[in-house]
Amino acid sequence: MTTSTRPPEGDWLGTPYLRFTREGPFGVCTLDRPEARNAMTPAMYFGIRYAVRHVDADPDLAGLLITGTGDVFAPGGDMGGGDGSDNWLTFGSALGMDVTPFETLRQSVKPVVSAVNGLCQGGGLQIALCSDMAVVSDRATFRVPELLRGIADTYYSQMLARLIGPVRTRDLMFTGRTLTAAEALDWGMVARVVRHDDLLDAAREVLGQCCRTAPGARSLIKSSLDNYLGLFDRIGMQASYSSAEALEGFRSFKDRRSPEWVHPDLRKDGRL
């Protein structure tokens, strides 16, 4: 006779690195992996996806707030392999759209607000962009480093071109530059920037405002906006995860060096 281990009951999201708490009418999902600066495992990505559906199905909750711990919101996927392994290919295949929460966020029935408390890049920035609104600390920074890792992120090229235009999309993606919170607001990437100490209160207020709108009519507006954002090249993006460039991007990240495709005169000490 074999026995199976039951997962924790209640609001368990499937990983100890995500905390789900109830604060009155809101569910709050907190990324809590400080030892890895909130680098996201596949289970964390899927857990956020589950949190959206969990709130959608709970009549006691009106909306979802997503935030991080310390000075990091989310830096994107764990380049260490998620489970502590060094196998980029295994991790890359685990980041397909069946795991990541981006489209689930876009299709959420109840409002989702991201309270961006600090560093926000890669998949973390996608979470903020796909939420209904992002309320941002004045200390937050934003970056799209995927091309420095050898990943052709067509989701970003599609969405950012709609949000900030193709010129600024090229600037952000081709250089891997870091944007301040003020720049992100000016570019139209985020909705509001507030004092860091006021972040959670401001985000709760915004979420409450969103939750007071009529759900049926709100869903129609979300559908219209979702159509505007459009589709992206899933096949090409998924193929890039297993490319030679992605493998070299992972190795160079682990080795804290510039990738081999960088001209010797342009290489820098440490990671790009």
Side-chain angles (χ1 to χ4, degrees):
M1 179 178 178
T2 60
T3 59
S4 59
T5 301
R6 288 175 55 86
E9 297 184 6
D11 296 315
W12 173 245
L13 298 183
T15 169
Y17 303 132
L18 293 178
R19 287 188 285 109
F20 189 97
T21 55
R22 292 169 179 258
E23 299 182 7
F26 304 141
V28 179
C29 178
T30 304
L31 283 70
D32 188 15
R33 196 186 178 206
E35 68 277 11
R37 290 186 59 76
N38 286 352
M40 300 187 69
T41 66
M44 291 171 70
Y45 274 128
F46 191 85
I48 290 176
R49 175 177 174 156
Y50 176 73
V52 175
R53 295 303 187 211
H54 190 53
V55 170
D56 279 348
D58 192 325
D60 293 330
L61 296 175
L64 175 65
L65 185 71
I66 301 174
T67 193
T69 52
D71 62 349
V72 178
F73 176 68
D78 185 347
M79 295 289 285
D83 57 359
S85 73
D86 290 333
N87 191 343
W88 159 254
L89 296 183
T90 299
F91 184 60
S93 65
L95 288 184
M97 296 310 293
D98 290 337
V99 173
T100 50
F102 312 137
E103 292 189 342
T104 301
L105 284 162
R106 285 169 62 172
Q107 298 164 10
S108 64
V109 175
K110 296 178 183 177
V112 180
V113 170
S114 284
V116 181
N117 54 297
L119 185 148
C120 180
Q121 66 179 33
L125 178 53
Q126 279 288 16
I127 290 170
L129 294 177
C130 291
S131 300
D132 291 306
M133 289 184 66
V135 180
V136 174
S137 161
D138 54 10
R139 301 179 189 174
T141 59
F142 303 87
R143 193 176 184 226
V144 183
E146 273 71 3
L147 287 176
L148 298 173
R149 313 289 179 240
I151 299 171
D153 197 318
T154 56
Y155 206 126
Y156 263 128
S157 59
Q158 176 74 25
M159 175 170 278
L160 286 175
R162 291 283 197 274
L163 293 176
I164 63 177
V167 173
R168 283 176 164 168
T169 297
R170 282 193 291 269
D171 184 355
L172 197 58
M173 295 193 72
F174 288 177
T175 67
R177 63 176 289 191
T178 297
L179 291 186
T180 65
E183 288 174 312
L185 180 66
D186 180 60
W187 282 24
M189 286 177 58
V190 301
R192 307 188 190 190
V193 175
V194 300
R195 290 179 62 252
H196 182 77
D197 292 342
D198 298 334
L199 176 64
L200 291 180
D201 286 341
R204 290 187 192 96
E205 177 61 26
V206 168
L207 182 56
Q209 292 170 352
C210 292
C211 290
R212 294 185 184 100
T213 59
R218 185 178 64 234
S219 292
L220 289 176
I221 297 302
K222 281 179 66 83
S223 178
S224 176
L225 291 170
D226 193 60
N227 288 333
Y228 173 75
L229 291 174
L231 303 175
F232 65 101
D233 179 9
R234 290 169 174 262
I235 295 174
M237 181 174 172
Q238 190 67 36
S240 80
Y241 284 141
S242 57
S243 69
E245 285 188 351
L247 186 56
E248 169 58 14
F250 167 71
R251 286 171 174 160
S252 63
F253 182 88
K254 294 285 288 183
D255 295 342
R256 298 180 178 272
R257 60 174 173 81
S258 293
E260 291 295 330
W261 65 70
V262 179
H263 188 283
D265 292 345
L266 296 175
R267 293 175 187 172
K268 294 184 176 182
D269 294 332
R271 295 168 176 159
L272 295 180

